Each structure stands twice: as C-alpha cells, then as structure tokens.
Amino acid sequence: MDPRRYSRVIDPKVRQVGFCPRSGQVQNQSGPTGPSTSPPVSHISPSSNSLSPVMIPPPRHPSDAASRAVNVPATATTPLRPRRPSFDDPNNNSSSTEQLVVSSYNPDESVLGTSPPFSGIGDDRDGDAESEFSDNSVNWIRQNDSGRFPLSLAPDGRFDSAAAKEKQSKKPQVGSRKERGGGQTAEVRNDLPSESKPLKEKTSKAERRALQEAQRAVKAAAKAGGNKSKAASLSAHEQTNKAAKLPLQRKDDGPVTSSAAVSERRGGERPPEKDRKKDAPAPRMQFDDKNRVEKAKKRSVVKQTEARNRVELFRHLPQYEHGTQLPDLESKFFQLDPMHPSIYKVGLQYLAGDIRGGNARCVAMLQAFSEAIKDYSTPPEKTLTRDLTAKVNNFVSFLIECRPLSISMGNAIRFLKSRIAKLPITLSEAEAKSSLCSDIERFINEKIVIAEKVIVEHAVTKIQDGDVLLTYGSSAVVEMVILHAHKLGKQFRVVIVDSRPRFEGQALLRKLVKIGVSCTYTHINAVSYIMREVTRVFLGAASVFSNGTVYSRVGTACVAMVAHAFHVPVLVCCEAYKFHERVLLDSICSNELGDPDAISKVPGRMDINSLHDGTNKENLQLLNLMYDATPPDYISMIVTEYGMIPTTSVPVIVREYGREHLLI
Amino acid sequence: MDFQVVVLAGGFSKTLVPLVSKEVPKALLPVANRPVLSYVLELLEQNNLKDLIVVVESESAALLIGGWISSAYVDRLHVEVAAVPEEIGTAGALRAIDHHLTASDILVVSGDLVCDVPPGVVAATHRRHDAVVTAMLCSNPVSGSTESGSSGVKDKAKKRYNIIGLDPTKQFLLHVAAGVEVEKDVRVQKSILRAVGQMDIRADLMDAHMYAFKRSVLQEVLNQKEAFQSLRRDVLPYLVRSQLRSELLLNGVQSEENGNDKDASQNPKIVLSQLLANASTPSFHELHALGPNGFSLSPRKTHKCCVYIASNSNYCVRLNTIQAFSDINRDVIGDASHLSGYSFSAQNNIIDPSAVLGSKTTVGPQCMLGEGSQMGDKCSVKKSVIGRHCRIGSNVKIVNSIVMNHVTIGDGCSIQGSVVCSNVQLLERVVLKDCQVGAGFVVTAGSEHKGESLAKKEK
C-alpha cells in the first residue's frame, strides 16, 4: 500500500482515541480502511444500502449519486471520446493524463455501485467508494491515487483493470451500455465531476489550463502559418472549443445534482454542510494586513490607534495604544444607539480590565446578552430569529473591539446563536425571549457553575495528605479545588507561583492565607527551585485545543515544562465548554497582546523606570504576551466535568459533547 | 442608554447681581452673545441626548427660559421646562420633579456649565463601576487672567476650595468638603481610610456639577432626608460619607436605602457574583464588604461613589461668579474658541457683517462684535465682547470687557475689565474699571468708577 495512505490512517488522533460511535460515520471518515479492516461494518453502511438497483433514476434524485453518474455518460460519451485524444496529446499531457489515470478505476466503482448482484467484496468496495466521494477533494484524490494499488492487490486479485472490464461484460444492463459507450475513459470523464463536486473543480482547472494553452497554440499557429494553416487551426480550435464546452456543460448540470446528493447523503449522519461551514472558525483578522485593518477601523466603534513599535513576529495580532481607547469609548457613551447598556457596560469593563478571567468574562457577557434579549423587541417586518442574530453579531463585534474574545466566549456565543436559530417559528416573541434567557441561564449554570463543582469533586481526589501543590497565577477552579480540599481537612501545602505584571496570584494567596492554608509564594523565576518539593501541579486554562494543547495565562507552559522535567504530575482544571476543536501548535498564531507599558513600568522602582520613557524609541519593541500554549506532552491529565482525561482524549470530548453545547 | 438628563438652570442667582435681572435669569446670561444655557444644551445635543428636563427656579424665569428654548431649539431638542419654587436648592429641585424621573440613571447637569467634556464619560464611568453617584471633577479654573489681575477683590476672598479625597486609582470619591467647611479641620473617616489604605487629598479640583446618580438611590435619599437642600453640599457628601457603613448607621431606614440596589443583585446568585468578583480586581468596597477575614456571612453593604476627572486639556468652568462670567466670556472668544461655535475671521475675531465700524476704529483679536452694532471713529476694542445693536460713539476704548445688547456708549468712554449689561447708557467720557453695570443703568457723563457694582435701585 501507499505509504501516504498509511500515515493518514494511523494518524495518532484517530487511532489513539479509538472511538467508533456510529459505524456509518467512521466509514465515511476513514474511507479506504473500510474494506481491509472491517468488512462487516461496511456491509451495513447506509450508503451502499440506499442505492437503488440498476435502473436509471430521475436526474435529481438525491440518494443516488452513483447511478446519476451513469446517467450522464449517456448523453456525453459519444461526442467526447473521439475528441479527447486530440485535445490531450499536443497540449497538456501531464495534467489530463493524470486525470485519466486517477480515475481509471472509477468506472468500476460506479458500475459496481449501481449493480446489486455482486459478491460481498464488491459490496464492500462500493460502500467504500461512496464514502470516498463524500470526502473532500484532497483526500479524494489521494485516496484514489492510492486506491489503484489496493485494486490490484486486492485479495482476490480480481480488481485490476482487466478484471474490471471482464466484470463489466458480466453485468447485464449497465455493463452492456457501458460497452456500447466503448472506452472507460469517456465514462470516467463523465462520472468524475458528477460524483464529487470538489474533484470537478480540480478537473476544470486543469482543463481550463489546457484550453488556455490550446488557444495560445492556435494563435501562434495562426500567426506563423498564416492563411495556409488557417483551416487546420480552425479545426483545431473547434476541437478544443468543443472539448472545453463539455466540462462547462457538465458544470451546469453535474454539480447541482451531485452536491445535492452528497449533502443529502451526509445529512443523515453529520450536520449538513452549511452547518459545518458555520462551525468552522472564521478566519481571524490578520493585523499585519494593512488594507483589512483599515477597513475594520472604519467599521469599528472603539477608536483603535495601532501601537507603533510592535514585535515583528506578532504583527498579526491586534495591539492598540493603551489608554486611548477607554476615554474615547466613554465619550461616545450616548452616541452608540443600537448598543444595549448592559453590553456597553460589559465592553467597558473588558476594556478597562475590570473583568478578567475566562469564566468571569463569559458569564458577564452572557448575562449582558440575557439583559439585552429581555429588552429586545422585534422591529416590524422582521423576524426575531434573523434580527436578533444580527443584533447579537453586532454586540459581539463590539465586544471584540473592546477585547478579543476568548475561546470560551466564542463557544458560548455559538451556543446562543444556535439557540436563536433553532427557535421554533411558532413561538411568540415573549416566549422566545424567555426561552433564550432560560437557555443562557442554563448554560451558565450547567457549563460553568455545576461544571466547576464537578471538577472540584474530581480534582480533590488527587490531593492527599502531605501533598505540596503548586499553582500558577490565580485560577478560579484551582482556587475552589484548594478551598474544598482544605474544607475536607486534607493536610497539604500550596506553592503559589506568580509573575509580573499582574501578580494575580496575590489575590489567591490572600484568600488561602486567610483560611489558614500554609502557603509559599514565589515568582516564576524561582519555579525550578521550588519544583523540587512539589508533588502536584494544578493549573487553570483559558482553553484546551483538540490536539491537547492548553492555552493559558502566559507562564503556564513554563511551569508545566519544569514540572514535567521534575516528574511532577501536572493537572489542568478546565471546564469542557472551553474546549475547542481547533488545533494549536504554537502561541504565536493566536494570542493576545497586553499593554506594553505594563512590563516596562516597575511600580515602586523609580530608579529603573527609565525604560518607560524610551517606549517611543524606534529600536525598542515591548512584548507583553497574555497567553501561551502548553504542549500536551507536559500535561498529565485534564480534569473536566466529564472526568479526568488524558490530553489525547480532548477530541473525544469535543466530538461527543461539543455538539451538546448546541443541544442543551 | 437608559439615562435621563436633568439640567438645573437655576433662577435669578444672588451672587450674580447685578448681572442677572428680572429680564435675564442666570441661564440666559450671554456668553459670547449666546445664553450660557445654550452651551450645555448643545453639548448634550452633540451627545445625542435630546430629551431633557430643564428645571428652573421661579415661574417668571421658567417662562423666559422656556420661551428662549422653544424658539432656539424648537425642532432639535425635546425639552421639558419645569418651574420650581425659589430657594429650594438643587436637591429640592430634584425632589420636586421626582415623578418625572423614570430611567435607571439620572444625569444631573448644572445649567451654568460651560465645558467640552462629553457627558458620556461620566455616564460611562458610572455604569462601569455600577456606582451610586459619579461626579465630574475638573481642575480649578485659573480665575482672573494676567491682565485683569486685580479684578474683584471679594471674589478672591471667598474663592472656593474643595477638599476632595480620592483613592490611589483616582476612581473613587472618599471625601468631600465643599466651600464653607474648608476653613475648619478636615475630618476624614477612619473606616474609609482603613479600607482604602491611602487617600489622595486634592484641593485643586472643582466639582463641575455634572453628576450621574442612580435613580433609586437618589430618590430614596431625597425622600428620606427632607433637610437636604443641595446636591453638592448635602447629598454628595452624605453618599460619600456612608459609602462603607451604610448598614452601620443603625437608623434602619438609612441602612436599607443605600444597600438596596446592590443587594438585590447580589443575593440571588451568590455563586456567580463570587465568580465575577474573583476575577475582577476588587475595589476596596468589595474587600471591605467581605469583612476582615474575607468571608463574612452577611456582606456589609457598600456603595460606590466614583469620580471622573476631566483632563486639563478639556475646558470646564461653571458660571457661578461674576469673575467666572468674564473669564468664560474671555475664554470662549479666546482660548476655548471651539466652544463658541462661531468661525473666526483671519484677525481671530468675530465681527458680524451688519456691524458698522467708523473710520480708524480697530477691533483686535479675540473680540466679538454682535449684529447691528455701530461704532464711531477712532475706537479701539481689545479682548471684549460687544453685543447686538450697541451704539458706541467715537474715541471709545473697550478692553477686557463685556458689553451686552442695546448698550449706548457715549464718546470718549473708557471701559476696562467691566461688564456692561443690556440697555445701559454710558454718557460721555465715562471711565469704568472693573465695574459691573446692571441692566438699564445710566452712568452720568464724566464719572469715573473703579471696582464698583452699579445697578438701578430695584423695586
């Protein structure tokens, strides 16, 4: 087998999780493995079952993409076949032949797919093929590429191309038609685009290029040859034209039906494509792109003066002159009509730094939304669902201007929007509003308040008498864990590691000292020293990504790494609503920049504050990162409300419970 | 934004006699030939606050002001003019219009404020901290310019100092002692000092009389403290004083009133509020509320009194003295010219096209000449405002003065640092220095006055 295929299949993320909830889904996702690993599963694959037998279905029948594929050739084969070679050979051999080769095994597929009286293996194969088509284009091509090899290497050895031809003749109806059509090539051409939309794009691109080249050649020929060769070139032109027309035609009728069919087929098992698109994270604004930044500025409510001396590597992140935004936003207080006061207040508090911490920000935002929804009334001639969604979008963009959203807030917003979208149209406005408010309340309650309690219950079991716990900064959940453990009468000591510029740990320290927990307070530069005596590290997180990366207050990665080096278990406490399906590899791509002055100023040390005067120097750039990414290797365990899981299980939670955000 | 604006326009202020008269209440005193109230109204209009309640003391003033507003702002603002009895005080005025107040927060602006600080900042600060009251402070105006140095001796004597105590972040008001109390000792509450740990005491700040109040609190205070007359002298200090010990006042009623609004939001969701409180940097209020060990069962009731301190680049002055009146007139034509709303000529002055100037008459920079005014020959005007339809003879010198409308000035007069009200007649060769001439007064020919207040014997 093709090595590439191996690597794809034994992707650690898929393998290590090893979670196969619904056969159909797995079948669809990991296409080609189906036949070789689990034939019985593919037997019940719905896609193969749903295929109607031989007859040619009405063209727009959704469930039958494969038979549709057979339908198309009937119209297109004959004109196409003779032209093709003349088109391919002189112009662009490589690309078009590649298509040919790639798809050379497809006719079998389509044929097999439509013919029911078949061996078990055949069935497997066609189920397999179905699933392949539903994959995205890149995979598709790759699979196809490699698919050729398994074809010839298949256990029976029947599936090489020769065998396939043999098969065709065996088949009563479809086969005969195909043979009349003559070559595989023609059929191949035709069912390619109709079967899978993404591939069609690929083909047409190649063809477009071919066409272009042909035209160029024709022009050159016309110039060179003059009148003599005009006739010839004309004919050539005609040929290319016709060849070009064909894909165009196909473009017209093919994708419509096929995409409908594809999405329909998917519909049963996964959310329809539209939803998936919505779920996909919107491309984030890259702030080193000047044009877009300018545009965004025009739209923005909050005055944003870009900081001048930004660190090169982090240019793509928003960084504004601190201290200019707040007064400006304040002065506009009465000029922002559409903004609800509660949203405005929360935005101000974000901007001023009054509210910090993932949970608090999220709760504050949700409460503000709930207030705004309570005061909302649908304008005449508008529907609540749409108008409210637009309103919420407005609010969100305002909040983003005040401070970039955290992942947890993004999840919460997604939840709210989906609730709005799913409101039954029959509900009256008052009912809809109250249902939304109760949804928000429930989200806060279940995903944050109760989740924290459960996490505390879980995490407390890991604290034993005589333990020395280390925590970094001030995490609300970790604080609750420690308080709870203390309440249970466990005997332990806490090391609080803190760092400039915020010294968040001091608040935690104050609380713990007050209730009588014995504490050690140190700064992060002493962490390697203090780690010797530590037995457990408890950390909070702003977010956990599906590759297990923990995104948290800057410095967390350092602590986790040191703990790992000292073989101290690192437990990250994080509510599951902060999980995100995105993969984060470094802390550069997505991060937040704080006020650079915060690190250049040292409170109470006038003698070394000279640096602060130099902030406008051209060659001085201050970097105050807010977050960092802790690689999964350094984390022993993530404590969520669903239990204590290894970092590798994050995608499971995201997949299994992620949708639940939308459903509660 | 759920704010209601109340403009306290005052009535016939005693301190501004002889400038104010039966015809001209304080709010209509001209500043650069526009009533002073228009500055506030326009500031509010710029900030999209178009529903206003203007409270005026005494019916007759209300009639005048209402008439002016309806003619000037007929289609721009929605103004409700409410007349309240005289000598009722600012708190009393608010008490009188109690039933009009419905929004969750009330912005109270004094009608004599000339400033360019958007009221939004006060409102935003108020909302951000969820405060009970937010006051705007600005730096004390530099009263008396370099040129009119010796103006008004009495003004200097009773120059107001406010002693204001702020927390280190300059966000919360810890202590207020206004005007009269200043000569006495400054008494600072120990409990507040203990809770905050550090207090900045400032004497260079002035209360600009722009407040944002929480309506429920304001109404309760006004209803329960019948004796309170002034917002600045009574209500604000009371709220500041009681901010930490609302419940320690064992009078029951009072302990309720201040905590009420905070309490309502705290009780139902203790967990959530704790969660929120944990994340934000707690102000001393919260720390204090939690008690000495951080976990008291019944959190003490506190409320926040915030301040917004206008930056020095903003212009912010109250027209509450005669000195301030001439200062403001000077500044609006001069330094703070963006407030006047006029466009200045190349010579940095405003001369109405209908004004007639005699030959060899010079109008210097930072001057204003109203419409229809006539000036004779060889006059010189410097840093002065001259109103509409004035008739000024020849050889007249006007420096640093304000001449209102319909004033007749005879030949050879010299006016310096003075305020000449409407319909005054100055006969020939009058010399005025640092004088105020009340409306309709006739100054006899050849007289010289210095530092006097001239007015008709009323009644």
Side-chain angles (χ1 to χ4, degrees), chain A residues 326-327 330-331 333-337 339 341 344-345 348-349 352 354 356 359-360 363 367 441 444 449 452 479 511 514-515, chain B residues 1 3 46-49 118-121 123-125 127-128 130 269 271-272 275-276 278-281 292-295 308:
Chain A
L326 186 61
E330 282 182 336
S331 64
F333 185 74
F334 290 113
Q335 284 151 3
L336 301 170
D337 260 340
M339 214 52 67
Y344 192 91
K345 181 179 163 188
L348 269 181
Q349 286 173 331
D354 290 351
R356 287 193 211 130
N359 282 340
V363 169
Q367 283 176 339
E441 203 173 308
I444 295 177
V449 177
E452 274 180 349
E479 181 190 324
K511 281 177 204 157
K514 262 178 195 162
I515 61 162
Chain B
M1 282 298 180
F3 260 89
Q46 271 170 26
N47 285 280
N48 213 8
L49 293 165
V121 290
T125 312
R127 277 282 162 78
R128 201 183 109 200
D130 202 16
K269 287 187 178 173
V271 189
L272 274 188
L275 194 108
L276 285 175
N278 273 347
S280 53
T281 26
N293 54 1
F295 294 95
Y308 176 81

Side-chain angles (χ1 to χ4, degrees), chain A residues 69-107:
Chain A
V70 183
N71 192 14
V72 181
T75 60
T77 34
T78 10
L80 177 66
R81 197 167 47 96
R83 313 268 182 215
R84 254 314 145 174
S86 66
F87 164 61
D88 280 335
D89 293 339
N91 301 325
N92 197 348
N93 255 332
S94 60
S95 72
S96 44
T97 43
E98 187 191 300
Q99 290 158 20
L100 283 178
V101 175
V102 163
S103 43
S104 71
Y105 113 109
N106 265 321

Side-chain angles (χ1 to χ4, degrees), chain A residues 322 349-358 361 402-404 472-474 497-508 510 521 523-524 552-554 592-603 624-627, chain B residues 279-282:
Chain A
H322 272 258
Q349 286 173 331
Y350 287 166
L351 190 53
D354 290 351
I355 300 184
R356 287 193 211 130
R361 277 166 72 197
C402 292
R403 190 179 161 184
Y472 175 69
S474 169
V497 179
D498 208 353
S499 75
R500 290 193 63 224
R502 287 213 174 137
F503 300 118
E504 287 152 322
Q506 290 183 354
L508 177 64
R510 193 180 296 127
Y521 178 81
H523 282 187
I524 194 164
S552 189
R553 168 71 60 229
V554 67
E592 202 180 317
L593 298 177
D595 180 6
D597 289 350
I599 52 171
S600 66
K601 267 187 211 161
V602 184
N624 181 11
L625 276 183
M626 303 281 276
Y627 295 99
Chain B
S280 53
T281 26

Side-chain angles (χ1 to χ4, degrees), chain A residues 362-371 373-374 412 415-416 419 432-451 577 661 664, chain B residues 268-272 275:
Chain A
C362 191
V363 169
M365 180 190 71
L366 285 174
Q367 283 176 339
F369 279 155
S370 153
E371 288 287 307
I373 287 173
K374 267 179 207 154
F415 159 78
L416 177 63
R419 293 308 303 175
K433 274 157 58 176
S434 68
S435 107
L436 284 178
C437 288
S438 69
D439 279 339
I440 291 176
E441 203 173 308
R442 211 163 56 216
F443 185 90
I444 295 177
N445 205 21
E446 286 178 10
K447 294 289 170 191
I448 301 177
V449 177
I450 295 180
Y577 85 105
H661 293 318
I664 53 168
Chain B
K269 287 187 178 173
I270 293 170
V271 189
L272 274 188
L275 194 108

